[in-house]
Every structure is written in structure tokens, then in C-alpha cells.
Amino acid sequence: MSQTTGTKKKGKSLPPKLIVRLGKFVWTTLWHLMMSKLAPRNASGEYVRPSSQFRHFVGTNDGNPYQPAAGRYCLYVGLGCPWAHRTLVVRALKGLEDAISVSIASPASNEGIWVLNQEEEGCRTLTELYQLAEPGYSGRCTVPVLWDKQTKAIVNNESAEIIVMLNSEFNDFAKHPTLDLYPEERREKIDHWNERIYHAVNNGVYCCGFAQTQEAYDQACNELFAVLDEIDAVLAMSRYLCGERVTLADVRLFTTLFRFDGVYYGLFKCNRRRIQDYENLGPYLRDLYQLPGVADTCDLEAVKRDYYGNLFPLNPGGIIPAGPDMTKLLELHGRESLGKEAVMG
Ligand SMILES: N[C@@H](CCC(=O)N[C@@H](CS)C(=O)NCC(=O)O)C(=O)O
């Protein structure tokens, strides 16, 4: 408060203490309530992701109702969602665009549900589609969904499994049938990375952003950056995570890395370091982004709109930040020469 000789000036003061206290109480109470619905947690305040409910497999095995075919299956995705993004990347890398259609959904910010950009199967929302597949279904209605147009069924809504199917079960219709993103001889290594990356990185960023105690956040953040540092060291010797060829482990890491500097760094408080500042992770992200077809699956504006606009307990003002400059993703990555060492790795 400013004062001049003798006379008191009535400047703007802070809100009275009572208002500050009341505001803080109301806001934190509501925040905890919203977060408990948005992000289920365990007793330590750590985010626990619910498991996926539809787990059938497309395959040629006898009696399997879901036989591979062109034009029969559709992927329901949201462009902001990193789990759905995995399926789009594998579809692009395998050249399955003509065999498997895509239907895009967008979040309805005031309702917390996915709305289909165009009506499909007589449904306008993903919730209606889940009901069509299983009347009375009361679980979460998540993207991605691998949908069977023939039997009006959800084959699978677990991205980790959908990408395995897209890699191996549709080769008769793929433009790149010989590209194997999950080769038998590398599976142990791929599975090892998948496991580590899922917990510490893919889900780890959510554990940072959705943590409801300081301890839960500290633990998730430490684990996230420890694994990113470890991966950065591996990538100094190896072009991709499991050697000279791109695999499902890279796809699964890519969709989190692509969102990192633009969303997780700020909104989820993963701000020890940006991906573009890592010596190897930065160029590795560019390498993956520049693989044929991959850039077309990436939409940073949709990502920012979805996260900053819809995870409202984390961003109540709804303001979407301007950065970062993603044109850097098009710069040379210089990682081609790492191929040889990686073959031996
Ligand atoms: N395990 C699932 C997770 C998918 C998921 O959590 N998707 C989010 C979007 S990023 C979603 O649809 N959430 C809606 C909800 O939870 O109701 C997968 O990997 O396929």
C-alpha cells in the first residue's frame, strides 16, 4: 500500500484474507473431487489407470469370429490421445490406410465424453457406440477402439494389443507386409522396453500430472526422468530402442515424446528437461517423426486443445499456450549412421 506525506492513498489491495482462505478451500476441495473422478488413485495418491474391457483378437485361427479382412474394421481414435495415436502410427507404417478405416472423435469439454466427428453406425458419441456393442455397458468409453463393422462389435479397446494385431494380422492387405515391428527374435527386448516405458513414461507422465500428493508427484517425476536419461544413453549407440530397425517399442515411446514439450512439460509438471534438449532423444524424436506417413498422424494443435481444454481441473482458465515451435521436428536428425552398431546391440 502506498503512502504520501500525510494522506493515505486508496490503492487496490489484495482480496481480504477470508476470501483467499475460502477460495482456496473451495477450489482445493473441488479439485480433489474432480481428480478422484478423472484420475482414480491408490492410498498414496498415485494415479491408477483402469484396465481395458474388450480384449478379443483378430486372427486366422479356426473358430475366431474376427477374421482378417479389408474394409471390415474401423479404428475409432481421438487425435489428442497418445494411446489412440499408437494405432494410427502402426496403420501408417504398415500401409493399412485402404484396409482399415478411421473415424475421429473429439472430446466434449463440458461432458467428459467423446463425440464422433461424423455419425457412425447410427451413433453420435463413443458412449452410444459402446452401448451398441454391449447394451448396459457401464465402464469407461475410451479411444482407441478396434470396431468390427460386420458384427457391430468392439474387438478390442487396448492400444497395446491393437498395434500387435495391426502389425501381424493384416499383411495380406498391407502396403508394407514385410515390415515387422514385433519380430520374434527381438520380442524379449521389445517387451522389456514396453514394460519400462509404459510405467515410467507413457503412464508416468499421467502419474506426474494426476498426482494428488507431493510424494506421489516426486516419485513419478524421479522415475520418469531416470528412465528418459537411461533411454537417452541407449540411443547414443543405437538408432532405435531395440536396434537398427524401428519396433513397437519405439512407436509406444514416440506418442508420449511427441506430446512432451507441448503438453506434459507444462500441464503435467514434467519440467526437469524438454525432449528437444536431450542429446539423443531430441534427434530420435525427429527421426521417428520423419518416417514415411508418421507426420500425417500428428496434430499438435488437437493435442494441446484436448489436454489444455478438457483436463479442466489442471487448467481451470482453459487457456491454451502458444508454443512450442514444432517445425524443429523437420530438421535433420543425423541418426542414419547409428545402424551398424545397433545390429550388434
Ligand atoms: N488402456 C487404454 C487407455 C486408453 C485411454 O485412457 N484413452 C483416453 C483418452 S487419452 C480416454 O478415452 N479416456 C476417456 C475416459 O476415460 O472416459 C489403451 O491404451 O488403449
Side-chain angles (χ1 to χ4, degrees):
M1 197 178 288
S2 68
Q3 221 169 327
T4 51
T5 39
T7 49
K8 266 191 184 171
K9 266 199 173 170
K10 280 192 178 168
K12 280 191 183 143
S13 73
L14 289 169
K17 267 189 201 147
L18 184 67
I19 303 276
V20 175
R21 273 198 207 133
L22 186 69
K24 198 170 175 190
F25 172 76
V26 171
W27 167 239
T28 46
T29 307
L30 269 178
W31 179 77
H32 279 296
L33 184 71
M34 296 301 302
M35 290 300 286
S36 66
K37 301 287 170 214
L38 184 76
R41 61 174 186 159
N42 65 16
S44 323
E46 293 159 9
Y47 171 54
V48 182
R49 183 173 290 278
S51 58
S52 305
Q53 306 286 315
F54 296 84
R55 312 295 283 265
H56 306 291
F57 276 80
V58 172
T60 50
N61 44 324
D62 274 353
N64 188 341
Y66 304 116
Q67 294 288 319
R72 177 171 168 179
Y73 299 96
C74 175
L75 280 169
Y76 286 84
V77 299
L79 296 178
C81 171
W83 316 99
H85 193 182
R86 297 169 163 186
T87 67
L88 291 180
V89 172
V90 175
R91 175 177 174 264
L93 291 174
K94 293 289 294 187
L96 285 168
E97 290 89 341
D98 296 337
I100 297 174
S101 58
V102 164
S103 186
I104 296 173
S106 305
S109 59
N110 292 333
E111 295 161 66
I113 58 167
W114 289 101
V115 176
L116 305 180
N117 286 10
Q118 61 174 50
E119 192 175 303
E120 298 278 3
E121 311 282 3
C123 301
R124 295 176 54 191
T125 66
L126 198 68
T127 317
E128 288 173 17
L129 195 81
Y130 270 72
Q131 288 301 324
L132 179 63
E134 193 177 304
Y137 174 75
S138 60
R140 290 164 77 224
C141 299
T142 55
V143 288
V145 163
L146 182 64
W147 176 261
D148 177 16
K149 301 182 209 176
Q150 193 172 302
T151 61
K152 315 281 180 228
I154 294 177
V155 181
N156 198 299
N157 69 341
E158 172 49 55
S159 61
E161 294 173 354
I162 296 173
I163 57 177
V164 169
M165 287 179 239
L166 298 186
N167 175 58
S168 61
E169 301 306 319
F170 292 89
N171 282 334
D172 287 349
F173 322 104
K175 288 192 196 100
H176 311 294
T178 55
L179 173 73
D180 188 357
L181 298 165
Y182 195 38
E184 200 72 47
E185 70 279 7
R186 295 272 160 115
R187 280 197 186 172
E188 208 175 311
K189 206 166 177 183
I190 296 169
D191 290 343
H192 161 81
W193 276 118
N194 284 348
E195 193 61 17
R196 277 182 77 61
I197 289 169
Y198 172 77
H199 289 291
V201 183
N202 303 138
N203 203 41
V205 292
Y206 284 85
C207 291
C208 292
F210 290 174
Q212 290 170 63
T213 63
Q214 184 69 50
E215 294 70 35
Y217 165 78
D218 289 343
Q219 192 183 325
C221 191
N222 288 339
E223 203 184 331
L224 166 66
F225 283 94
V227 173
L228 287 179
D229 288 349
E230 184 187 333
I231 294 172
D232 195 60
V234 168
L235 292 174
M237 302 295 294
S238 174
R239 180 167 180 185
Y240 300 114
L241 273 173
C242 300
E244 83 287 3
R245 284 182 297 165
V246 69
T247 68
L248 291 183
D250 300 295
V251 173
R252 291 167 57 130
L253 180 57
F254 171 76
T255 63
T256 298
L257 296 186
F258 174 70
R259 285 157 179 74
F260 202 96
D261 293 354
V263 171
Y264 303 141
Y265 184 91
L267 187 68
F268 283 4
K269 307 185 183 84
C270 303
N271 63 354
R272 265 201 201 141
R273 213 167 170 193
R274 297 181 309 175
I275 296 302
Q276 57 182 295
D277 297 333
Y278 274 91
E279 195 179 339
N280 304 302
L281 270 169
Y284 165 81
L285 172 59
R286 298 205 293 278
D287 188 357
L288 293 173
Y289 181 81
Q290 292 169 25
L291 291 175
V294 172
D296 291 340
T297 68
C298 298
D299 184 342
L300 187 70
E301 289 314 307
V303 169
K304 290 199 306 189
R305 213 172 40 236
D306 285 6
Y307 277 90
Y308 281 98
N310 294 293
L311 294 179
F312 47 90
L314 300 181
N315 188 37
I319 291 167
I320 299 171
D325 174 11
M326 297 302 269
T327 52
K328 283 189 187 319
L329 285 175
L330 296 169
E331 288 174 5
L332 293 178
H333 56 76
R335 294 184 57 77
E336 299 84 349
S337 56
L338 285 165
K340 291 284 175 292
E341 294 95 313
V343 176
M344 293 146 67

